[in-house]
Amino acid sequence: MAITFDITHTTAYRYAKPVELGEHRLMFRPRDSHDLRVLATDLQVNPPAANIRMIQDVYSNSVALVQPHSPAAELELTCLFTVEVTHSQPLELPLSPGAESYPFEYTAEDRIALQHYLAPYYDADETLMAWAREFIRTDGPTGSRELLVAMNQSIRDSMSYQPRDEEGVQTPRETLAVHSGSCRDFATLMIEAVRRLGYAARFVSGYVYTPPAADNGAPATASRGATHAWLQVYLPGAGWIAFDPTNNLIGGTDLIRVGLARHAGLASPVSGTWTGAPSDYLGMKVDVQVNKRD
């Protein structure tokens, strides 16, 4: 069954006086596929943009390059989407022969395409490696998919979700040390851990729809209607499977992907520049509404 979502994402910057606004980069359009269809998009800029260019980046993400009129004392960027998401059941997809148990090997052709998602982004870390090995069974074969399911759930069960508006990501070592983090931190931790075990994994940014507690009988770990981050892991035969360690989700209809990248630094929803004194910057406010149609 398909579910339709209406999403409004507004990012507002405020300055003490008019400043020169540089180009701003927006991950603008959700990623179409067999399980996600984009029905409508719109972009509103205040002050009006002098120029908007739509491009595809190296990861085939749709990106809007916006040059607002300036000088200005505020900048408001509003992205609006309507998408249709179809329920998927990734745990029921058959894996290729030889890929059911860990460890397994990707084909030579797959490794060429996956090489950037196999290589760790952070330097070697024995703490992370030791943690990743905890999910390899010692009493019998380890299912290649079951290992990922266990790690996804362990992050949710053993770590505290702490939303953070500031840019940047904790290193996996930091997340393991404090046992808490944002969705970006949890996704990064799992990506780096599974890469060290030989899996191909990539960072995903987008939105999550979290029903109110009354809808599912349990409190949500991320606020309803939020920008969100998770990961995808490539399993031969099943393809790219979404794992959300913040909410212990695997696939489903509540994750609405927008950007894909090798690491979190390349999938920011909004980034840009401005020229002025540091004291001119008064702050940023983000408002996200994810509404599920009846």
Side-chain angles (χ1 to χ4, degrees):
M1 182 180 70
I3 297 175
T4 301
F5 294 98
D6 296 305
I7 304 164
T8 303
H9 179 181
T10 301
T11 305
Y13 300 92
R14 298 288 183 266
Y15 304 92
K17 61 183 181 181
V19 299
E20 291 294 328
L21 299 172
E23 186 175 81
H24 283 64
R25 182 178 186 274
L26 288 75
M27 287 280 189
F28 177 66
R29 192 178 193 276
R31 306 251 327 192
D32 292 271
S33 187
H34 62 279
D35 60 344
L36 191 156
R37 187 160 66 104
V38 180
L39 304 179
T41 66
D42 192 19
L43 173 61
Q44 300 171 1
V45 183
N46 183 37
N51 187 32
I52 298 177
R53 306 193 316 277
M54 294 296 301
I55 67 167
Q56 279 192 318
D57 68 7
V58 69
Y59 296 100
S60 297
N61 298 308
S62 291
V63 176
L65 301 177
V66 178
Q67 178 56 64
H69 280 291
S70 61
E74 62 180 30
L75 172 62
E76 188 170 277
L77 305 161
T78 301
C79 302
L80 302 101
F81 318 101
T82 299
V83 298
E84 184 181 81
V85 183
T86 304
H87 183 66
S88 61
Q89 296 176 310
L91 296 182
E92 297 181 6
L93 295 172
L95 302 183
S96 297
E100 297 96 337
S101 297
Y102 175 85
F104 64 91
E105 289 288 337
Y106 293 109
T107 65
E109 192 66 29
D110 283 350
R111 291 189 69 85
I112 293 173
L114 297 172
Q115 58 182 316
H116 298 301
Y117 301 119
L118 285 163
Y121 178 68
Y122 291 89
D123 293 335
D125 187 321
E126 283 304 317
T127 302
L128 175 62
M129 194 67 220
W131 180 78
R133 288 196 185 105
E134 293 177 5
F135 298 94
I136 302 174
R137 295 183 60 171
T138 58
D139 58 349
T142 301
S144 55
R145 183 159 34 197
E146 286 69 27
L147 184 155
L148 299 170
V149 171
M151 185 180 293
N152 195 64
Q153 181 171 348
S154 176
I155 294 174
R156 159 68 183 271
D157 292 347
S158 65
M159 299 187 183
S160 300
Y161 171 70
Q162 300 291 335
R164 190 175 67 251
D165 293 332
E166 295 82 3
E167 294 183 1
V169 180
Q170 292 176 175
T171 67
R173 176 188 282 271
E174 290 172 332
T175 302
L176 289 173
V178 299
H179 274 78
S180 67
S182 68
C183 56
R184 302 189 304 273
D185 304 324
F186 294 158
T188 297
L189 169 63
M190 187 165 171
I191 288 171
E192 292 296 305
V194 301
R195 283 176 178 170
R196 282 165 170 78
L197 295 178
Y199 292 87
R202 61 189 182 185
F203 185 90
V204 187
S205 66
Y207 303 93
V208 61
Y209 173 77
T210 305
D215 286 4
N216 58 13
T221 55
S223 61
R224 181 184 184 186
T227 54
H228 196 46
W230 60 98
L231 67 145
Q232 291 179 338
V233 181
Y234 189 81
L235 290 175
W240 289 105
I241 297 179
F243 290 89
D244 175 13
T246 302
N247 297 296
N248 192 26
L249 296 175
I250 302 172
T253 58
D254 293 339
L255 299 173
I256 304 161
R257 63 183 174 273
V258 173
L260 305 173
R262 182 179 169 226
H263 59 83
L266 300 175
S268 176
V270 181
S271 59
T273 63
W274 60 279
T275 303
S279 58
D280 292 338
Y281 181 65
L282 299 181
M284 175 185 72
K285 182 179 180 181
V286 177
D287 180 72
V288 176
Q289 301 294 327
V290 181
N291 296 308
K292 180 179 178 180
R293 293 189 186 180
D294 294 332

